[in-house]
Amino acid sequence: MNKKRLSINLVSNIISYMVSTILSFLITPFLVNHLGRELYGFYGIANSFVSYITIVATALNSMAAKYITVEYVRGNEIQAQKYYSSIFFSNVILCLVLTPILVVIILNLNFLLNISDIYVEQVQCLFCLIFAAMLLRFVTSIYGTVMYTTNRMDYRAYIDLVKAALRLILYFLLFTVFQPSVVYLGIVLFLLEFFNSVIQILISKKLMPTLKIKKKFNDFKLVLRTLKVGVWNSINQLGDLLLSSSDLIMANVLLGELASGNISIIKTLPTLISGVITAINGVFMPRATNQYAQGNKDKLIEEIQYSQKMMGTLITPLVISLIVFSEDFLNLWIGGKDINLLSNLMIIDISRMLIVAIVWPVSNLNIILDKVKTPSLFVLTSGFLNIFSMWALIEFTQIGIYAIVVTTFVITVLFYGLFIPIYSSKNLGVSIRTFIKPEIHMIFVSVIIFIVIKMIHDRFEITSWLLFILVGGICGCVAILIGTILFWNKKNFSFFKDRIE
């Protein structure tokens, strides 16, 4: 495997996500100003619906890249072809089954959600377009596995860069030329998904021209095998959504449109950080899968530990910096009288990403090992407990909207911080300390970074974007420097250097 491939994939994905993040910061206040918090909140709710519906497709698609990669690495090209074709045709059938169900949901949205009468038609059109984009993604998702199999995740980064630019241009044109409408968010999403699908098909033909969808390769037995493991991934995703993405819907149902609008705003940063984690993890997952395919246990563990350190080095300084600058950021970004409330909610919600980041490579290890049943049941239980806790706290206490983020924080820390590392260690037959130690290390590093950059931050009164960028840039550089020094000793630096040269 080309030693430079890791550095190319990593750098391209980080740059891509940085650009996407900056553009999202520019777009969100633009949309909130044109639509209002209440109406903008329905965009997040629509995407939450998509996340829940996607659970059905996860059973088929979550293991596709792994099985295709394993067969390809082992030289079983015909078997890889069978997985490729079988899952494609299964996705087509799935979309045909889902379509009438989605129509019923759209027609009854005003009964499922709190929607003002004047917004009902707009929200229905929004959901229709977002659901259409989702179905298109299901049908063409198999083409994206080729980038995973060939370890060319840099292509994914290039696609995302172009999509980010197109999103900015389309939003600007639609909202400046026409009367503002939440429907435009659905139009843009669908157009970007269409673009993504076309490019993925073209790239798949370039990287693996011999891998083609053919009816003769359709094997229902392989679909059943994929579903046997994948169904647990679906259960895992359902639990994860109940744990981390149920807040928007619960806020709307229990507290109303304004509360869900506020949650939608404060979730912008955690969602973006989650995307960074996914982008970085997407670089390392093919490497870990490759080691598993070769039967190299020690190298597999080494890859996971390396991924944890890299996650800690990149994500910890970012999260701590955002915590310190949260109120300044919201004042400049959104403004308004609820800044203190939004800042407190954001700090609580964003803090859990520290644990999620450092444990995410370990969590994905269970997918590689096909050990997903027990974690799936645990995360599903955690998800239901999260929803029940939200309801109970809102019903029987006076903490109101804080219940939405506090329960998610506590249960996320328990599941990802304790259960996943312990379970994964037992699966591999290694000491519990193997994956717990990086968490303890991360907490120590977080405290040091927080103290240092808080001291720098408090010396300034940030009243403009220029000052925010200057002070934030200084603090960010200091945070990264501290994180790099504390996460990597001399031995780790040598290991890191070997990987990127």
Side-chain angles (χ1 to χ4, degrees):
M1 185 178 291
N2 189 341
K3 289 185 177 181
K4 292 185 178 180
R5 178 54 47 201
L6 173 62
S7 58
I8 293 172
N9 287 347
L10 184 60
V11 172
S12 61
N13 276 272
I14 291 175
I15 292 175
S16 170
Y17 211 81
M18 285 178 62
V19 172
S20 296
T21 299
I22 293 171
L23 292 181
S24 293
F25 286 155
L26 296 174
I27 289 171
T28 301
F30 175 81
L31 296 177
V32 171
N33 288 335
H34 280 80
L35 299 173
R37 291 187 189 181
E38 294 88 345
L39 195 53
Y40 176 73
F42 286 108
Y43 180 62
I45 293 174
N47 282 300
S48 293
F49 267 80
V50 167
S51 297
Y52 283 103
I53 296 167
T54 302
I55 291 169
V56 180
T58 298
L60 275 173
N61 296 288
S62 60
M63 302 302 293
K66 180 215 164 176
Y67 285 138
I68 293 170
T69 300
V70 169
E71 298 299 341
Y72 179 75
V73 170
R74 292 175 177 173
N76 303 326
E77 190 169 326
I78 296 298
Q79 194 72 357
Q81 289 262 25
K82 289 182 178 180
Y83 276 112
Y84 195 68
S85 297
S86 301
I87 293 174
F88 171 80
F89 288 116
S90 297
N91 277 327
V92 172
I93 294 172
L94 174 63
C95 289
L96 294 175
V97 172
L98 281 175
T99 299
I101 299 174
L102 298 178
V103 171
V104 172
I105 292 174
I106 292 169
L107 294 176
N108 292 278
L109 274 177
N110 54 323
F111 298 107
L112 299 173
L113 300 170
N114 288 318
I115 309 175
S116 299
D117 292 340
I118 59 173
Y119 295 147
V120 171
E121 290 186 1
Q122 285 190 59
V123 174
Q124 286 179 324
C125 289
L126 171 68
F127 272 69
C128 182
L129 288 162
I130 289 180
F131 286 165
M134 175 192 68
L135 295 176
L136 180 60
R137 182 166 62 253
F138 287 172
V139 172
T140 59
S141 62
I142 194 66
Y143 294 101
T145 61
V146 171
M147 288 178 276
Y148 183 104
T149 301
T150 56
N151 196 26
R152 289 305 306 268
M153 300 305 290
D154 55 316
Y155 277 115
R156 168 52 53 198
Y158 306 146
I159 294 173
D160 289 341
L161 277 171
V162 177
K163 285 169 62 180
L166 287 175
R167 180 182 289 109
L168 182 64
I169 294 170
L170 288 170
Y171 277 148
F172 178 77
L173 290 175
L174 288 171
F175 278 91
T176 54
V177 175
F178 303 101
Q179 184 74 18
S181 171
V182 74
V183 176
Y184 300 155
L185 278 65
I187 293 174
V188 172
L189 184 63
F190 180 81
L191 291 175
L192 292 177
E193 193 59 55
F194 180 80
F195 168 80
N196 183 74
S197 299
V198 172
I199 297 300
Q200 279 193 156
I201 293 171
L202 294 176
I203 289 176
S204 69
K205 291 181 178 179
K206 175 185 177 181
L207 295 178
M208 295 182 70
T210 58
L211 197 62
K212 297 180 179 179
I213 294 172
K214 296 181 179 180
K215 190 175 180 180
K216 68 177 183 179
F217 287 131
N218 188 22
D219 189 337
F220 186 65
K221 291 181 180 179
L222 294 183
V223 175
L224 290 178
R225 180 189 175 187
T226 304
L227 286 171
K228 186 178 179 180
V229 179
V231 69
W232 292 108
N233 285 330
S234 289
I235 293 174
N236 182 80
Q237 185 177 344
L238 173 59
D240 190 59
L241 287 171
L242 293 174
L243 182 58
S244 61
S245 300
S246 59
D247 41 13
L248 273 173
I249 296 175
M250 292 295 289
N252 178 273
V253 172
L254 297 176
L255 298 170
E257 293 175 338
L258 181 59
S260 61
N262 285 332
I263 293 295
S264 180
I265 290 171
I266 68 101
K267 281 188 69 66
T268 300
L269 289 181
T271 301
L272 290 171
I273 292 172
S274 178
V276 175
I277 293 171
T278 302
I280 297 172
N281 184 69
V283 173
F284 292 104
M285 273 290 282
R287 297 176 63 88
T289 303
N290 193 280
Q291 296 296 345
Y292 170 78
Q294 296 178 46
N296 196 330
K297 177 183 174 181
D298 291 336
K299 287 288 185 180
L300 175 60
I301 295 173
E302 193 177 71
E303 286 290 346
I304 298 301
Q305 290 178 321
Y306 177 73
S307 300
Q308 283 189 280
K309 283 185 175 291
M310 185 59 71
M311 283 288 194
T313 305
L314 297 174
I315 301 299
T316 303
L318 174 61
V319 172
I320 298 301
S321 297
L322 291 172
I323 288 173
V324 172
F325 285 83
S326 62
E327 191 165 339
D328 304 308
F329 170 75
L330 287 168
N331 262 318
L332 296 170
W333 189 45
I334 299 295
K337 61 182 179 180
D338 298 328
I339 293 302
N340 186 252
L341 170 66
L342 292 176
S343 176
N344 292 338
L345 293 172
M346 181 179 288
I347 289 172
I348 296 170
D349 201 38
I350 206 173
S351 296
R352 64 187 173 86
M353 303 310 295
L354 290 167
I355 290 293
V356 172
I358 207 77
V359 180
W360 201 254
V362 184
S363 179
N364 284 321
L365 174 63
N366 296 319
I367 296 176
I368 296 174
L369 298 174
D370 285 353
K371 299 289 186 179
V372 294
K373 181 178 179 179
T374 302
S376 299
L377 293 174
F378 264 81
V379 75
L380 182 63
T381 303
S382 299
F384 282 117
L385 179 61
N386 185 45
I387 289 179
F388 174 77
S389 300
M390 287 180 189
W391 171 81
L393 286 175
I394 291 173
E395 185 72 18
F396 300 108
T397 72
Q398 301 299 316
I399 66 174
I401 195 172
Y402 282 101
I404 302 294
V405 292
V406 168
T407 54
T408 301
F409 173 83
V410 172
I411 297 175
T412 296
V413 170
L414 291 175
F415 177 75
Y416 284 101
L418 292 178
F419 171 74
I420 289 295
I422 293 172
Y423 179 76
S424 300
S425 300
K426 290 185 176 181
N427 281 335
L428 284 173
V430 297
S431 169
I432 293 175
R433 294 179 66 254
T434 303
F435 301 128
I436 288 285
K437 187 177 179 181
E439 291 185 54
I440 299 172
H441 196 172
M442 178 274 296
I443 293 171
F444 169 74
V445 174
S446 297
V447 173
I448 299 299
I449 292 176
F450 179 84
I451 292 173
V452 174
I453 66 172
K454 188 73 167 65
M455 291 173 61
I456 299 173
H457 168 271
D458 290 349
R459 291 177 176 271
F460 300 88
E461 184 179 351
I462 299 174
T463 56
S464 68
W465 278 113
L466 178 60
L467 198 57
F468 179 87
I469 293 170
L470 289 175
V471 179
I474 293 171
C475 289
C477 291
V478 171
I480 292 172
L481 179 62
I482 295 172
T484 302
I485 292 172
L486 296 180
F487 270 111
W488 301 88
N489 57 34
K490 185 176 180 180
K491 178 182 177 181
N492 293 135
F493 268 121
S494 299
F495 180 64
F496 176 69
K497 183 179 178 182
D498 292 340
R499 292 300 180 88
I500 64 174
E501 287 182 345

